[in-house]
Amino acid sequence: MQIRKLHTHEIPPFELLLLADPSQKLVEEYLRRGHCYIASLNDQIIGVYVLLPTRPDTVELVNVAIDEKNQGRGFGKQLVKHAIQIARELGFKTIEVGTGNSGVGQLALYQKCGFRITGVDRDFFVRHYDEEIFENGIQVVDMIRLSQDL
């Protein structure tokens, strides 16, 4: 798998971005402010993530997504590790990430990559999304916040 920054003239892979965040409006907003990276395998885009500067010395990893047929093969972990390395290279001191309360696999992945839970943004998905989101048979209501020092 090769990972590279999306060029300014390229169209972002919205089908993947919307896998991780169903709000087209929010995705477009943080694409304007962030740095989008894509992962390719055999010349096919299979993954994406965005690094979004949020505060001085802090960047948030948003929208980590791997296409469904390539999930469970370790590519997500490679994307997260790559994002951590890029954040270091860009001089950030802290990297943060948030995921839904029902994202058991995502919570495990982020912790395996060195993130620690720092808090819960209660009712985040109720406040920011018009339609209910369900994952693993659980309504996504709260945002679990994690971070790590770089």
Side-chain angles (χ1 to χ4, degrees):
M1 181 175 73
Q2 296 81 37
I3 305 171
R4 66 171 175 82
K5 190 171 183 180
L6 187 73
H7 301 297
T8 54
H9 66 278
E10 288 181 286
I11 297 170
F14 280 103
E15 67 283 353
L16 283 175
L17 291 160
L18 293 170
L19 276 179
D21 188 334
S23 170
Q24 178 95 21
K25 179 182 163 195
L26 289 176
V27 169
E28 288 174 355
E29 193 274 326
Y30 57 65
L31 280 172
R32 278 192 296 278
R33 296 179 21 230
H35 309 280
C36 184
Y37 291 82
I38 57 171
S40 299
L41 186 66
N42 302 323
D43 295 321
Q44 295 289 323
I45 296 174
I46 65 158
V48 66
Y49 73 83
V50 178
L51 284 177
L52 182 62
T54 56
R55 296 185 302 280
D57 299 327
T58 302
V59 67
E60 184 173 359
L61 173 59
V62 296
N63 206 301
V64 178
I66 296 290
D67 72 1
E68 292 176 354
K69 70 177 184 268
N70 284 295
Q71 291 177 4
R73 299 177 56 194
F75 296 132
K77 187 173 187 176
Q78 288 179 49
L79 279 183
V80 173
K81 293 286 192 180
H82 186 269
I84 292 167
Q85 184 59 40
I86 293 295
R88 271 193 194 104
E89 290 172 10
L90 292 173
F92 291 100
K93 304 290 184 230
T94 303
I95 186 169
E96 300 176 330
V97 69
T99 193
N101 56 278
S102 60
V104 178
Q106 296 94 314
L107 283 167
L109 169 65
Y110 296 135
Q111 290 176 86
K112 287 177 187 176
C113 291
F115 287 87
R116 301 206 38 213
I117 295 172
T118 55
V120 177
D121 188 346
R122 293 179 58 84
D123 297 323
F124 177 90
F125 292 95
V126 174
R127 289 192 318 269
H128 296 284
Y129 293 83
D130 294 331
E131 298 194 18
E132 294 178 341
I133 304 168
F134 285 84
E135 183 179 31
N136 299 317
I138 304 167
Q139 184 176 357
V140 184
V141 176
D142 302 321
M143 169 83 72
I144 308 299
R145 306 291 303 164
L146 303 97
S147 73
Q148 77 172 268
D149 295 332
L150 298 173

Short mmCIF file of all heavy atoms in Angstrom, two decimals, residues 75-98:
data_model
loop_
_atom_site.label_atom_id
_atom_site.label_comp_id
_atom_site.label_asym_id
_atom_site.label_seq_id
_atom_site.Cartn_x
_atom_site.Cartn_y
_atom_site.Cartn_z
N PHE A 75 -4.79 -2.40 6.93
CA PHE A 75 -4.56 -1.13 6.23
C PHE A 75 -4.95 0.08 7.08
O PHE A 75 -4.31 1.12 7.02
CB PHE A 75 -5.30 -1.10 4.89
CG PHE A 75 -4.81 -2.13 3.91
CD1 PHE A 75 -5.71 -2.93 3.23
CD2 PHE A 75 -3.45 -2.30 3.65
CE1 PHE A 75 -5.27 -3.88 2.31
CE2 PHE A 75 -3.01 -3.24 2.73
CZ PHE A 75 -3.92 -4.03 2.06
N GLY A 76 -6.00 -0.06 7.87
CA GLY A 76 -6.41 1.04 8.75
C GLY A 76 -5.31 1.38 9.74
O GLY A 76 -5.01 2.56 9.97
N LYS A 77 -4.70 0.36 10.31
CA LYS A 77 -3.60 0.59 11.26
C LYS A 77 -2.43 1.28 10.56
O LYS A 77 -1.82 2.20 11.12
CB LYS A 77 -3.15 -0.73 11.88
CG LYS A 77 -2.14 -0.57 12.99
CD LYS A 77 -1.87 -1.89 13.68
CE LYS A 77 -1.00 -1.67 14.90
NZ LYS A 77 -0.79 -2.92 15.64
N GLN A 78 -2.15 0.88 9.32
CA GLN A 78 -1.07 1.54 8.57
C GLN A 78 -1.41 3.02 8.34
O GLN A 78 -0.52 3.88 8.43
CB GLN A 78 -0.84 0.85 7.23
CG GLN A 78 -0.18 -0.51 7.36
CD GLN A 78 0.01 -1.17 5.99
OE1 GLN A 78 0.51 -0.54 5.07
NE2 GLN A 78 -0.41 -2.42 5.88
N LEU A 79 -2.66 3.32 8.03
CA LEU A 79 -3.07 4.72 7.84
C LEU A 79 -2.89 5.53 9.12
O LEU A 79 -2.36 6.65 9.09
CB LEU A 79 -4.54 4.80 7.41
CG LEU A 79 -4.89 4.58 5.95
CD1 LEU A 79 -6.39 4.78 5.74
CD2 LEU A 79 -4.11 5.48 5.03
N VAL A 80 -3.33 4.98 10.24
CA VAL A 80 -3.21 5.69 11.52
C VAL A 80 -1.74 5.92 11.86
O VAL A 80 -1.35 7.03 12.25
CB VAL A 80 -3.95 4.95 12.65
CG1 VAL A 80 -3.69 5.59 14.00
CG2 VAL A 80 -5.45 4.91 12.36
N LYS A 81 -0.91 4.91 11.71
CA LYS A 81 0.53 5.05 11.98
C LYS A 81 1.15 6.10 11.06
O LYS A 81 2.00 6.90 11.48
CB LYS A 81 1.25 3.71 11.82
CG LYS A 81 0.87 2.67 12.86
CD LYS A 81 1.49 3.02 14.19
CE LYS A 81 1.37 1.87 15.16
NZ LYS A 81 1.96 2.21 16.46
N HIS A 82 0.76 6.11 9.79
CA HIS A 82 1.25 7.10 8.84
C HIS A 82 0.84 8.51 9.28
O HIS A 82 1.66 9.44 9.26
CB HIS A 82 0.71 6.80 7.44
CG HIS A 82 1.27 7.67 6.37
ND1 HIS A 82 0.68 8.85 5.99
CD2 HIS A 82 2.38 7.53 5.60
CE1 HIS A 82 1.39 9.41 5.03
NE2 HIS A 82 2.43 8.63 4.78
N ALA A 83 -0.40 8.67 9.70
CA ALA A 83 -0.89 9.97 10.15
C ALA A 83 -0.09 10.47 11.36
O ALA A 83 0.26 11.66 11.43
CB ALA A 83 -2.38 9.88 10.50
N ILE A 84 0.21 9.58 12.28
CA ILE A 84 1.00 9.95 13.46
C ILE A 84 2.39 10.42 13.02
O ILE A 84 2.89 11.45 13.50
CB ILE A 84 1.10 8.76 14.44
CG1 ILE A 84 -0.28 8.47 15.05
CG2 ILE A 84 2.15 9.03 15.53
CD1 ILE A 84 -0.38 7.14 15.77
N GLN A 85 3.01 9.70 12.09
CA GLN A 85 4.33 10.08 11.61
C GLN A 85 4.30 11.43 10.88
O GLN A 85 5.17 12.28 11.10
CB GLN A 85 4.89 8.99 10.68
CG GLN A 85 6.31 9.27 10.21
CD GLN A 85 7.30 9.40 11.36
OE1 GLN A 85 7.24 8.67 12.34
NE2 GLN A 85 8.19 10.37 11.25
N ILE A 86 3.31 11.64 10.04
CA ILE A 86 3.19 12.92 9.32
C ILE A 86 2.97 14.06 10.32
O ILE A 86 3.57 15.14 10.19
CB ILE A 86 2.05 12.86 8.28
CG1 ILE A 86 2.39 11.87 7.16
CG2 ILE A 86 1.75 14.25 7.72
CD1 ILE A 86 3.59 12.25 6.31
N ALA A 87 2.13 13.85 11.32
CA ALA A 87 1.89 14.89 12.33
C ALA A 87 3.19 15.26 13.04
O ALA A 87 3.46 16.45 13.28
CB ALA A 87 0.84 14.41 13.33
N ARG A 88 4.00 14.26 13.35
CA ARG A 88 5.32 14.52 13.96
C ARG A 88 6.19 15.35 13.02
O ARG A 88 6.82 16.33 13.43
CB ARG A 88 6.04 13.20 14.25
CG ARG A 88 5.77 12.63 15.57
CD ARG A 88 6.76 11.50 15.92
NE ARG A 88 6.24 10.78 17.04
CZ ARG A 88 5.65 9.59 16.98
NH1 ARG A 88 5.55 8.95 15.83
NH2 ARG A 88 5.18 9.03 18.06
N GLU A 89 6.25 14.91 11.76
CA GLU A 89 7.08 15.60 10.77
C GLU A 89 6.64 17.05 10.56
O GLU A 89 7.47 17.92 10.28
CB GLU A 89 7.07 14.85 9.44
CG GLU A 89 7.80 13.54 9.47
CD GLU A 89 7.62 12.70 8.21
OE1 GLU A 89 7.07 13.22 7.20
OE2 GLU A 89 8.04 11.53 8.22
N LEU A 90 5.34 17.31 10.70
CA LEU A 90 4.82 18.66 10.54
C LEU A 90 5.02 19.52 11.79
O LEU A 90 4.68 20.70 11.80
CB LEU A 90 3.33 18.62 10.17
CG LEU A 90 3.02 18.06 8.77
CD1 LEU A 90 1.51 17.89 8.57
CD2 LEU A 90 3.62 18.95 7.68
N GLY A 91 5.55 18.92 12.84
CA GLY A 91 5.89 19.66 14.05
C GLY A 91 4.80 19.76 15.11
O GLY A 91 4.93 20.52 16.07
N PHE A 92 3.73 19.00 14.96
CA PHE A 92 2.68 19.02 15.97
C PHE A 92 3.16 18.29 17.23
O PHE A 92 3.98 17.37 17.15
CB PHE A 92 1.40 18.38 15.43
CG PHE A 92 0.73 19.21 14.38
CD1 PHE A 92 0.88 18.91 13.03
CD2 PHE A 92 -0.02 20.32 14.73
CE1 PHE A 92 0.29 19.69 12.05
CE2 PHE A 92 -0.62 21.12 13.76
CZ PHE A 92 -0.46 20.80 12.42
N LYS A 93 2.64 18.70 18.37
CA LYS A 93 3.01 18.09 19.66
C LYS A 93 1.96 17.09 20.15
O LYS A 93 2.26 16.20 20.94
CB LYS A 93 3.20 19.16 20.73
CG LYS A 93 4.21 20.22 20.36
CD LYS A 93 5.61 19.67 20.36
CE LYS A 93 6.61 20.78 20.08
NZ LYS A 93 7.55 20.45 19.04
N THR A 94 0.72 17.25 19.67
CA THR A 94 -0.38 16.38 20.10
C THR A 94 -1.23 16.03 18.89
O THR A 94 -1.47 16.88 18.03
CB THR A 94 -1.27 17.10 21.15
OG1 THR A 94 -0.47 17.51 22.25
CG2 THR A 94 -2.40 16.19 21.64
N ILE A 95 -1.66 14.77 18.85
CA ILE A 95 -2.61 14.34 17.83
C ILE A 95 -3.84 13.81 18.55
O ILE A 95 -3.73 13.08 19.54
CB ILE A 95 -2.01 13.30 16.85
CG1 ILE A 95 -3.00 12.98 15.72
CG2 ILE A 95 -1.52 12.06 17.58
CD1 ILE A 95 -2.39 12.18 14.57
N GLU A 96 -5.01 14.23 18.08
CA GLU A 96 -6.27 13.82 18.67
C GLU A 96 -7.11 13.07 17.64
O GLU A 96 -6.90 13.22 16.44
CB GLU A 96 -7.06 15.04 19.15
CG GLU A 96 -6.34 15.86 20.19
CD GLU A 96 -7.08 17.13 20.59
OE1 GLU A 96 -7.80 17.71 19.75
OE2 GLU A 96 -6.92 17.54 21.74
N VAL A 97 -8.06 12.30 18.12
CA VAL A 97 -8.99 11.60 17.25
C VAL A 97 -10.29 11.40 18.03
O VAL A 97 -10.28 11.35 19.27
CB VAL A 97 -8.41 10.24 16.75
CG1 VAL A 97 -8.29 9.23 17.87
CG2 VAL A 97 -9.22 9.68 15.59
N GLY A 98 -11.40 11.37 17.32
CA GLY A 98 -12.68 11.11 17.96
C GLY A 98 -13.41 10.03 17.17
O GLY A 98 -13.26 9.94 15.95
#
